[in-house]
């Protein structure tokens, strides 16, 4: 399934139905007055969030949404039927931008907003009778419904975000922590879109998002670029996963700083978030190489955790640090 997290759509609320212009014509009623009913109200367009969806794919396939108009008023003072509300379902975490400004953030399940209001129905000629004009032959047309061009942007609801170079072991760690089933392989860009998992600790659930790998030059569009970093924007804690390089602590540090530099170029304030640095792939490292990596990071004022996502070495300490970091 394609992952779509940004889409532009057009919405048009229903127009109000026109009022009726009619007169009573009944047997034994020689002077029947006006009895034109009002038109029905045009339908609203509502956008509602649901946990059943994880992507904006459906909206990328259909870009224009029009709500039904209200019905025409009838004789004998009968009102026209109002149009049925058009409800557009989107994933939880969808932000709605109108005129390039944030209008609504649908960040809870079931949250909804009337994004385009239907037009009022026109009044029938019964409303325009006066002592002077007892037989008005005109009625109002309905008002037009609102029409907008919207940009919908999905930002996943997660407390923890995983960032790092491709093949740093983020997907493996997500699977270890949450039993999620992301695609895992030994080549770059295995993860092509963000994945979510839930870490259960005691009586609480912590949602973790795995963000596709960032490479040097990502801010200029290299690799997958920085387009998925919007999903880290909501997180309270960032896990920066760094794969240790055997016998080369300097390269391990260079990998870490390369990602940090790309994050600093992002439009999202990820650099300011609380971050836990995690040195991964402990299972393939000699003890002296691990010590050299930790020492190099410590010299720069960074105190990382050392783990193995595959063998689950250091995972209990990492979970404790995550819980403490969110406290």
């Amino acid at each position: 399934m394609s992952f779509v997290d940004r889409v532009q759509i057009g919405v048009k609320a229903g127009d109000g139905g026109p009022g009726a212009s009619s007169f009573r014509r009944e047997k034994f009623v020689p002077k029947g007055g006006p009895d034109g009913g009002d038109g029905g109200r045009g339908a609203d367009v509502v956008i509602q969030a649901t946990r059943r969806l994880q992507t904006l794919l459906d909206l990328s396939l259909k870009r224009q949404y029009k709500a039904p108009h209200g019905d025409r008023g009838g004789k004998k003072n009968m009102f026209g039927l109002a149009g049925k509300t058009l409800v557009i379902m989107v994933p939880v975490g969808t932000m709605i931008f109108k005129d390039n400004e944030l209008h609504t953030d649908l960040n809870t399940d079931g949250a909804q907003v009337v994004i385009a209001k239907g037009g009022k129905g026109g009044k029938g000629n019964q409303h325009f009778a006066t002592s002077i004009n007892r037989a008005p032959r005109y009625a109002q047309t309905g008002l037009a419904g609102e029409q907008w061009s919207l940009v919908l942007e999905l930002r996943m609801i997660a407390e923890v975000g995983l960032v790092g170079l491709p093949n740093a072991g983020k997907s493996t760690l997500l699977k270890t922590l949450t039993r999620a089933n992301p695609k895992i392989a030994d080549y770059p860009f295995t993860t092509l879109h963000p994945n979510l998992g839930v870490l259960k600790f005691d009586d609480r659930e912590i949602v973790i998002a795995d963000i596709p790998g960032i490479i040097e030059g990502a801010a200029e569009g290299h690799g997958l670029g920085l387009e998925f970093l919007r999903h880290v924007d909501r997180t309270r804690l960032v896990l920066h996963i760094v794969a240790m390089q055997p016998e080369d602590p300097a390269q391990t540090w260079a990998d870490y700083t390369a990602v940090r530099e790309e994050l600093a170029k992002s439009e999202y304030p990820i650099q300011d978030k609380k971050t836990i640095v995690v040195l991964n792939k402990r299972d393939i490292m000699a003890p002296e190489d691990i010590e050299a990596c930790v020492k190099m990071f410590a010299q720069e004022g960074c105190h990382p955790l050392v783990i193995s996502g595959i063998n689950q070495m250091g995972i209990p300490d990492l979970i404790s640090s995550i819980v403490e970091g969110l406290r």
Side-chain angles (χ1 to χ4, degrees):
M1 181 183 69
S2 299
F3 181 82
V4 178
D5 61 355
R6 185 181 173 88
V7 67
Q8 182 173 354
I9 64 171
V11 294
K12 171 69 169 69
D15 298 338
S21 177
S22 66
F23 297 89
R24 291 176 59 190
R25 286 177 172 80
E26 302 176 24
K27 194 174 183 179
F28 308 120
V29 182
K31 295 182 179 180
D35 67 350
D38 299 346
R41 182 181 178 86
D44 296 333
V45 178
V46 172
I47 300 180
Q48 181 175 331
T50 175
R51 294 195 183 279
R52 295 195 302 271
L53 297 176
Q54 300 297 327
T55 173
L56 297 171
L57 175 63
D58 291 346
L59 275 67
S60 70
L61 302 177
K62 179 183 177 182
R63 299 296 184 97
Q64 298 295 325
Y65 294 84
K66 293 183 179 180
H69 303 315
D71 287 345
R72 176 185 296 273
K75 54 187 178 180
K76 297 184 178 179
N77 301 323
M78 290 191 296
F79 288 84
L81 290 176
K84 185 178 180 181
T85 301
L86 173 61
V87 181
I88 302 173
M89 306 301 292
V90 297
V92 174
T94 298
M95 304 176 76
I96 305 172
F97 292 87
K98 184 188 288 187
D99 293 334
N100 296 321
E101 293 186 358
L102 178 62
H103 180 275
T104 307
D105 185 358
L106 300 176
N107 54 20
T108 57
D109 188 30
Q112 64 179 29
V113 60
V114 178
I115 201 65
K117 295 182 179 180
K120 292 183 178 180
K123 292 183 178 181
N125 68 336
Q126 60 169 311
H127 294 279
F128 304 107
T130 66
S131 59
I132 299 174
N133 183 8
R134 297 184 180 182
R137 297 184 178 276
Y138 56 86
Q140 288 180 336
T141 57
L143 298 180
E146 293 182 334
Q147 184 171 359
W148 298 101
S149 176
L150 308 173
V151 173
L152 305 185
E153 188 174 282
L154 173 61
R155 298 188 188 179
M156 289 182 168
I157 305 296
E159 293 182 276
V160 180
L162 306 182
V163 299
L165 291 173
N167 280 86
K170 301 187 302 299
S171 296
T172 299
L173 180 58
L174 181 71
K175 184 174 183 178
T176 298
L177 291 174
T178 68
R179 297 184 182 179
N181 288 298
K183 185 178 181 181
I184 299 173
D186 59 354
Y187 55 85
F189 303 118
T190 305
T191 303
L192 299 178
H193 59 78
N195 291 308
L196 289 180
V198 178
L199 168 63
K200 295 186 177 181
F201 182 82
D202 291 339
D203 60 345
R204 68 172 297 184
E205 295 182 343
I206 300 171
V207 180
I208 301 176
D210 170 20
I211 307 303
I214 302 165
I215 65 173
E216 188 174 352
E220 287 74 45
H222 297 175
L224 297 176
L226 299 177
E227 63 174 304
F228 292 124
L229 283 186
R230 65 172 64 96
H231 299 289
V232 189
D233 189 40
R234 294 186 191 271
T235 61
R236 297 165 50 202
L237 179 67
V238 174
L239 298 188
H240 187 158
I241 315 301
V242 186
M244 290 184 287
Q245 303 298 324
E247 302 180 358
D248 196 352
Q251 183 59 51
T252 303
W253 175 256
D255 290 346
Y256 167 75
T257 56
V259 173
R260 295 294 292 178
E261 289 172 1
E262 294 302 324
L263 294 179
K265 298 174 185 176
S266 163
E267 62 181 291
Y268 306 105
I270 299 170
Q271 288 281 79
D272 301 332
K273 292 182 180 292
K274 186 182 297 185
T275 302
I276 298 175
V277 180
V278 180
L279 299 182
N280 194 19
K281 305 193 177 181
R282 171 177 166 181
D283 54 297
I284 63 172
M285 298 287 291
E288 57 271 20
D289 291 338
I290 296 176
E291 184 178 352
C293 285
V294 173
K295 184 177 180 180
M296 172 159 280
F297 276 71
Q299 289 174 349
E300 302 293 339
C302 181
H303 302 282
L305 294 174
V306 181
I307 70 161
S308 168
I310 291 180
N311 293 347
Q312 301 191 25
M313 302 165 69
I315 295 301
D317 290 339
L318 176 58
I319 293 175
S320 297
S321 297
I322 292 172
V323 174
E324 183 62 30
L326 294 174
R327 201 178 297 276

